[in-house]
Amino acid sequence: MSTHSLDATFAALADPTRRAILARLASGETSVTDLAAPFDMSLAAVSKHLKVLERAGLIARGREAQWRPCRLEAAPLEDASQWIGQYRRMWEQRLDRLENELAAMHRKEKARSRKR
Amino acid sequence: MSTHSLDATFAALADPTRRAILARLASGETSVTDLAAPFDMSLAAVSKHLKVLERAGLIARGREAQWRPCRLEAAPLEDASQWIGQYRRMWEQRLDRLENELAAMHRKEKARSRKR
């Protein structure tokens, strides 16, 4: 898991259009024209986003077919997920604690309103 | 899961110093001075990174104590993890397929070298 590729992966994910492109590619490879269709932006703007994704290794472009289909590359997402996952246990404990505190507060609140 | 906070979370994670700060905070709240110690940069530079993390909601600063300890906030990391997690099944299948293909190639290679 290299530092450089995590930088590029997270930077690439920090944009709603690029995340939407990845979401679309998760269901299969697609032409640039089809990818661009749902977005209210020029083909050039979409191509720019694709280049960021390609440099980060998140997508690859086919070389065979003339329409050069885009497809998702799994490895960088896996690395990003593993990085975040290291802290899962820690944050799950914290979220559990917060939920317990909230539940206790709600119980107290109820008990108090019953007394009134 | 808001679009804006995912943008800010992923942008904040796209830097090795900020990831190292989060990693350090995962083991407990810390003063800015202690956080800055392992880095070869000024306190001002570290403070800048802390501000990015704070704006993204990834850390919070205590208001009580005079040393204003930093602590990790779990929710944005959880959101980021969930976003990536949506595609986990897809990429696991692809990685499995690649591993199977590689294993098959290795078997063929071995069979070929035995024949020679």
Side-chain angles (χ1 to χ4, degrees):
Chain A
M1 201 195 291
S2 87
T3 294
H4 173 263
S5 73
L6 272 179
D7 286 5
T9 303
F10 284 127
L13 292 177
D15 180 276
T17 305
R18 291 196 290 267
R19 289 198 302 277
I21 289 173
L22 293 176
R24 171 70 189 78
L25 289 177
S27 53
E29 57 176 32
T30 314
S31 72
V32 176
T33 324
D34 283 351
L35 267 183
F39 301 108
D40 187 22
M41 53 175 82
S42 68
L43 217 70
V46 172
S47 289
K48 236 183 206 173
H49 284 305
L50 290 176
K51 262 179 207 145
V52 175
L53 290 169
E54 204 175 357
R55 271 200 299 268
L58 283 159
I59 66 167
R61 309 280 310 268
R63 310 228 167 263
E64 326 74 30
Q66 208 178 354
W67 55 293
R68 300 200 61 212
C70 300
R71 66 167 186 276
L72 196 63
E73 290 288 321
L77 281 178
E78 172 98 60
D79 287 349
S81 175
Q82 273 180 11
W83 187 87
I84 299 182
Q86 296 174 294
Y87 308 107
R88 174 176 288 280
R89 196 183 304 171
M90 174 281 310
W91 87 61
E92 279 176 349
Q93 285 170 350
R94 287 184 184 223
L95 287 176
D96 286 350
R97 218 176 302 141
L98 279 176
E99 277 171 2
N100 290 338
E101 280 175 33
L102 268 177
M105 277 168 64
H106 279 302
R107 276 195 301 273
K108 271 189 200 165
E109 200 57 48
K110 264 194 187 166
R112 214 175 286 149
S113 61
R114 241 180 266 132
K115 274 186 199 162
R116 272 184 217 134
Chain B
M1 199 193 289
S2 87
T3 294
H4 172 263
S5 74
L6 272 178
D7 287 5
T9 303
F10 284 128
L13 293 177
D15 180 278
T17 305
R18 290 198 290 268
R19 289 198 302 277
I21 289 172
L22 292 176
R24 170 72 189 76
L25 290 178
S27 54
E29 57 176 33
T30 314
S31 72
V32 175
T33 323
D34 283 352
L35 266 183
F39 301 108
D40 187 23
M41 53 174 82
S42 67
L43 216 70
V46 172
S47 288
K48 236 182 206 172
H49 283 307
L50 291 177
K51 262 178 208 144
V52 175
L53 291 169
E54 205 176 358
R55 270 200 299 267
L58 283 160
I59 65 167
R61 308 281 310 269
R63 310 231 167 260
E64 327 74 30
Q66 208 176 353
W67 55 291
R68 301 201 59 212
C70 298
R71 66 165 185 278
L72 195 63
E73 291 288 322
L77 282 177
E78 170 99 60
D79 287 349
S81 175
Q82 274 179 13
W83 187 87
I84 299 181
Q86 296 174 292
Y87 308 107
R88 174 174 288 281
R89 197 183 304 170
M90 175 279 311
W91 87 61
E92 279 176 348
Q93 284 170 350
R94 286 182 185 225
L95 288 175
D96 285 350
R97 218 177 303 144
L98 279 175
E99 278 171 3
N100 290 339
E101 279 175 33
L102 268 176
M105 278 168 64
H106 279 302
R107 275 194 304 272
K108 271 188 201 165
E109 200 56 48
K110 262 193 187 166
R112 211 174 291 150
S113 62
R114 239 178 269 135
K115 274 186 204 164
R116 270 183 218 135

